[in-house]
Every structure is written in C-alpha cells, then in structure tokens.
Amino acid sequence: MTADAPLAEIHHAHRDVGGGWLRPAAFGVMDGLVSNFALVAGVVGGGAEPRTVLVTGLAGLAAGACSMATGEYTSVSSQNELTRAEIDKERLELERNPDGELRELTLIYEAKGVTPALAADVARELTADPEVAWRVHVREELGVDPDDLPSPWTAAGSSFLAFTLGALIPLLPFLLGAATLLPALVASAAGLLLAGGLIARLTARPAWFGGGRQLLLGGLSAAVTFGIGLLVGTGVA
C-alpha cells in the first residue's frame, strides 16, 4: 500500500463496542432463557400441572423482563451521572489549575512513549481550545468518550426485548400443549446453543465454544432448581 493511497482505501470500520446494547442484550437473552427454564424445571420438579407451569413461566417472564429493563436503565443512568460529575470536576480543574493540568497531560503522553519535548507541544496544542482540552483530559484520564456515553434507554430496551425472547423459549412447548418437561428441555437446549453460538460469533469466538458454555451453565442451573423443586414437592406431599 502506498503512502498516498486514498483514505477510503486504508480505512477499516469497527463494530460499535460502546453503544450500550450488546452487553444487556446478551445478558438479557441468556438470563431470560436460563432463569425461566430453571423456573419451569423447578415447578415441574415440584409436581405442578402444565397450566400452573405455564402461568408461573409467564409471570416469571413479565417480572424478569421488567426487572432487567429497570436495572439496566438505573445502572447505565447512574454510571453516566458519575461520569458527568467527573467531567465537571475535570473542567473545574482546568479553570483553576491550567498549568498543572497541562503538565499532567504532558506526563500522560510521555508515559505512552512520546518524547518529552513533543509531548509538551502536543499537550499545549490540544489545551489551547478549552472545549478540546476538557474532552482530551476526560478521554485520557477517565478512559471514556464524553460525546458517546451509553444510552440508558438503549440498554433498558435491549435487555427487556432480549429477556422476553429468551424466556419465551422454554414456555413455547407448554403454550403448544406440552404436558412434560422434555419438550421444554429440548427447546431450551437448542436455544442455549444457538444464542451462545451467535454471541460468540459477535465477539469473534468459536460458535461451539459459546454454545457449549451456555448449554453447560444453563443445564446446571435447571438441574439445581429441578432438584430443589423435587425435594420440596416431595416434602410437601
């Protein structure tokens, strides 16, 4: 590739890693699938009738989806509020002690391998514009992009929809008239493999690794709750 190659030819696009949707979506679909499958397994282990299992599973879906959305919205909002508070603190420091902040930025660049003279020049150039200065300090000191903070609504919506989708999978057989746990077990196992594999591919990991990991963890969770339900159901009976 030549030095004068057009920018469009040498630029490569990256996926959005900070938009706030992948983590809650991945967590939501897995949490919905695993928790509701485990809930269904526990109720079946306790000897509940299919109608009771279905009602319990739907209640678990609604409660879990609302809880996930509320938790994600609150956590992302709180994180953003903390970040904005630190941004205000940094802007105030730049007003009160510009020389000290300039020296601090210079040392940051020196620590990254830039020569002292060049680091000082770069820091001075970036600090000349106050609007640029505080953004640079926030990126370098806090490690966040102040112009691209995650959206709490995106996180809440992603987790709500993903949890609902995941929680529906173990319920589908009962919605279609199943009377035993086996169809839900098969559907949930397939869902765990598929969801785990897709998420692994998004993160450049082998699909078999992600799918197998989720199948193992989900299966263990369901086995534990089924056993508890069986013990409790036997004791109550």
Side-chain angles (χ1 to χ4, degrees):
M1 180 176 295
T2 60
D4 58 350
L7 181 60
E9 294 182 10
I10 61 176
H11 176 72
H12 56 280
H14 291 284
R15 290 171 291 183
D16 179 14
V17 297
W21 69 270
L22 179 57
R23 184 192 61 82
F27 180 45
V29 71
M30 288 303 173
D31 190 27
L33 178 49
V34 173
S35 65
N36 226 29
F37 178 44
L39 177 63
V40 166
V43 174
V44 171
E49 296 295 325
R51 176 178 172 79
T52 302
V53 174
L54 181 58
V55 172
T56 302
L58 289 173
L61 182 155
C66 291
S67 177
M68 281 286 296
T70 301
E72 286 293 340
Y73 181 86
T74 302
S75 64
V76 174
S77 294
S78 299
Q79 185 64 43
N80 286 349
E81 289 163 4
L82 175 61
T83 300
R84 292 189 181 100
E86 290 301 308
I87 289 174
D88 291 340
K89 179 180 178 181
E90 192 62 37
R91 296 179 75 165
L92 185 61
E93 285 298 315
L94 282 166
E95 293 176 4
R96 289 178 172 177
N97 186 20
D99 293 337
E101 291 296 305
L102 176 62
R103 178 58 180 164
E104 185 178 25
L105 188 60
T106 300
L107 292 175
I108 289 174
Y109 290 137
E110 288 182 19
K112 292 183 177 182
V114 181
T115 60
L118 181 57
D121 289 339
V122 172
R124 191 177 302 108
E125 186 75 19
L126 291 175
T127 308
D129 185 342
E131 285 301 308
V132 174
W134 71 262
R135 285 180 167 83
V136 171
H137 278 269
V138 167
R139 290 188 181 96
E140 295 295 345
E141 295 181 35
L142 302 182
V144 297
D145 185 347
D147 298 314
D148 191 27
L149 297 179
S151 166
W153 289 107
T154 298
S158 299
S159 62
F160 183 90
L161 293 175
F163 187 97
T164 300
L165 177 61
L168 272 176
I169 293 175
L171 292 181
L172 283 176
F174 292 98
L175 287 169
L176 297 175
T180 66
L181 184 62
L182 181 59
L185 174 62
V186 173
S188 299
L192 287 166
L193 284 170
L194 179 61
L198 289 175
I199 292 172
R201 294 306 300 159
L202 283 174
T203 56
R205 298 295 299 271
W208 64 264
F209 174 81
R213 177 175 60 185
Q214 294 306 323
L215 180 61
L216 175 62
L217 296 176
L220 288 173
S221 300
V224 169
T225 54
F226 180 82
I228 293 174
L230 188 62
L231 290 173
V232 172
T234 302
V236 171

